Amino acid sequence: MCSLLERMDGENMTSNMFYYLGLILVSIIWGINFGVSRWAMDVFPAEVFVFLRFGLALPVLFLFLKWTEGSVRVEKRDLVKLAVIGLIGVTALEIMVMYSIKYTTLANASLLNVAPWPIFAALFAPLFTREKISFRVAVGGFIALVGVTLIILGGKDGFDLSSKYMIGNYIALAISLIGALFNLACMPLMKKYSPLRVTTWYVLFGSLFLFPFTVDKWSSIQWGNLSIVTWGAVAYNVFLCTVAAFVVWNICMKQVGAAKANFFRYFVPAAAAVAGALFFNESIWITQIIGGLVIVLGLVWIGTERKQQISPI
């Protein structure tokens, strides 16, 4: 009996490690996108670029859903839930990200967008799931939080609490709260539907709600300036950052739990720093390297915890 339990624990840990690697891969994809998106944002207004990212992903998502699951339908009573999730998690969140960057410093926005997100997810998880935050996860999360703080504040721009940035700071902090609630709200629906189906439908509604914000922006686009690099950045956003990343993230989050999964977002600023160095010759400081190692330490500590059974309410 003991050997059987030990074997099951080992299999669970191996299975969990696969999902943790998926979360890390998605975070790296999102982090690199901070650099990739700059090439497209030189041509497209931010609202149009975000709409293209999600709007062009829609046919891919629906076709893949139809091919893999045979249908794309959801029950009518769930459409309202999916519409609210799309409005909050796609439309509102993406617009708020743009304005947080506009009204505060990049360092402020990065820290407040990323650092509190997993903490809010852990605090509000009991409202959506039966997930319990263990001592190991709390300690590992705190270690990773120290690491992400070192990466963001260890660059050339420090955290600035000047009053002129407070509106942007509040928006950035609200992004963490809304983003955490968005992730958690998906969990009960993923008990009923596949992560792919849930993702496809909330991206549909999010895109529909995004379109009105682009109406007066299309005329400013200089279509003659669209290069292969620009379209490459759009393709990266559509196929990797949206289709692949959202589906993989939701699959992995469903398996390991929303609160635990969101701590792996701390890889995003680390990947963004590396992308800045590779694509734009930005410097990487020793403090940021130390921060990256600290993040890895904290998340390895979380990842070695034995699997818990997570069930949405």
Side-chain angles (χ1 to χ4, degrees):
M1 178 64 72
C2 290
S3 62
L4 175 62
L5 291 175
E6 289 173 358
R7 186 166 64 252
M8 290 176 63
D9 283 340
E11 290 173 354
N12 284 339
M13 187 169 293
T14 301
S15 175
N16 256 14
M17 199 59 62
F18 175 80
Y19 295 115
Y20 291 137
L21 290 174
L23 295 170
I24 293 171
L25 177 61
V26 171
S27 295
I28 291 173
I29 289 172
W30 284 337
I32 291 174
N33 194 43
F34 280 89
V36 172
S37 292
R38 293 186 194 180
W39 294 324
M41 297 284 278
D42 290 337
V43 180
F44 292 110
E47 295 86 351
V48 172
F49 180 64
V50 173
F51 174 75
L52 288 175
R53 171 186 172 181
F54 290 98
L56 293 177
L58 273 177
V60 181
L61 286 167
F62 272 104
L63 286 172
F64 190 57
L65 176 60
K66 177 68 174 177
W67 179 56
T68 56
E69 300 187 20
S71 73
V72 299
R73 297 181 60 184
V74 294
E75 294 183 14
K76 291 182 179 179
R77 62 180 179 178
D78 293 321
L79 289 175
V80 174
K81 298 176 184 177
L82 289 162
V84 172
I85 290 173
L87 176 63
I88 294 173
V90 176
T91 310
L93 209 59
E94 294 296 332
I95 291 173
M96 290 174 70
V97 168
M98 291 188 295
Y99 280 99
S100 70
I101 294 172
K102 180 178 180 180
Y103 289 114
T104 189
T105 66
L106 187 58
N108 286 16
S110 299
L111 184 60
L112 294 173
N113 284 359
V114 175
W117 189 315
I119 298 171
F120 285 133
L123 289 174
F124 291 104
L127 298 178
F128 297 87
T129 74
R130 295 188 177 92
E131 183 177 359
K132 296 180 180 180
I133 306 303
S134 67
F135 178 75
R136 174 182 284 270
V137 172
V139 172
F142 177 77
I143 293 171
L145 175 62
V146 172
V148 78
T149 304
L150 288 173
I151 287 177
I152 295 171
L153 301 188
K156 63 179 181 179
D157 298 319
F159 193 70
D160 193 333
L161 288 176
S162 302
S163 59
K164 63 180 178 179
Y165 295 130
M166 290 313 294
I167 292 177
N169 291 344
Y170 286 133
I171 295 174
L173 185 60
I175 289 169
S176 285
L177 174 59
I178 292 173
L181 293 175
F182 157 60
N183 286 151
L184 291 167
C186 293
M187 294 294 283
L189 282 170
M190 289 194 293
K191 179 71 172 178
K192 185 174 184 180
Y193 304 108
S194 69
L196 173 60
R197 194 172 297 247
V198 173
T199 303
T200 300
W201 278 94
Y202 74 59
V203 168
L204 168 63
F205 286 111
S207 300
L208 292 175
F209 293 132
L210 269 171
F211 182 73
F213 294 95
T214 71
V215 171
D216 61 341
K217 306 294 183 182
W218 295 94
S219 60
S220 65
I221 301 172
Q222 298 181 11
W223 296 98
N225 291 338
L226 299 183
S227 65
I228 295 178
V229 173
T230 304
W231 285 117
V234 172
Y236 182 91
N237 272 266
V238 171
F239 293 105
L240 286 180
C241 286
T242 304
V243 175
F246 272 61
V247 173
V248 171
W249 182 272
N250 283 337
I251 290 172
C252 297
M253 182 175 68
K254 178 182 179 180
Q255 295 298 320
V256 306
K260 189 182 294 186
N262 273 289
F263 281 110
F264 286 79
R265 286 183 178 273
Y266 287 160
F267 271 107
V268 173
V274 173
L278 292 176
F279 300 147
F280 301 99
N281 295 319
E282 296 179 357
S283 300
I284 294 182
W285 304 84
I286 185 64
T287 307
Q288 294 176 304
I289 296 174
I290 295 172
L293 295 175
V294 173
I295 288 176
V296 172
L297 176 63
L299 295 182
V300 166
W301 181 253
I302 291 176
T304 53
E305 183 180 52
R306 291 178 179 176
K307 185 175 181 180
Q308 299 176 11
Q309 294 297 321
I310 308 299
S311 58
I313 293 175

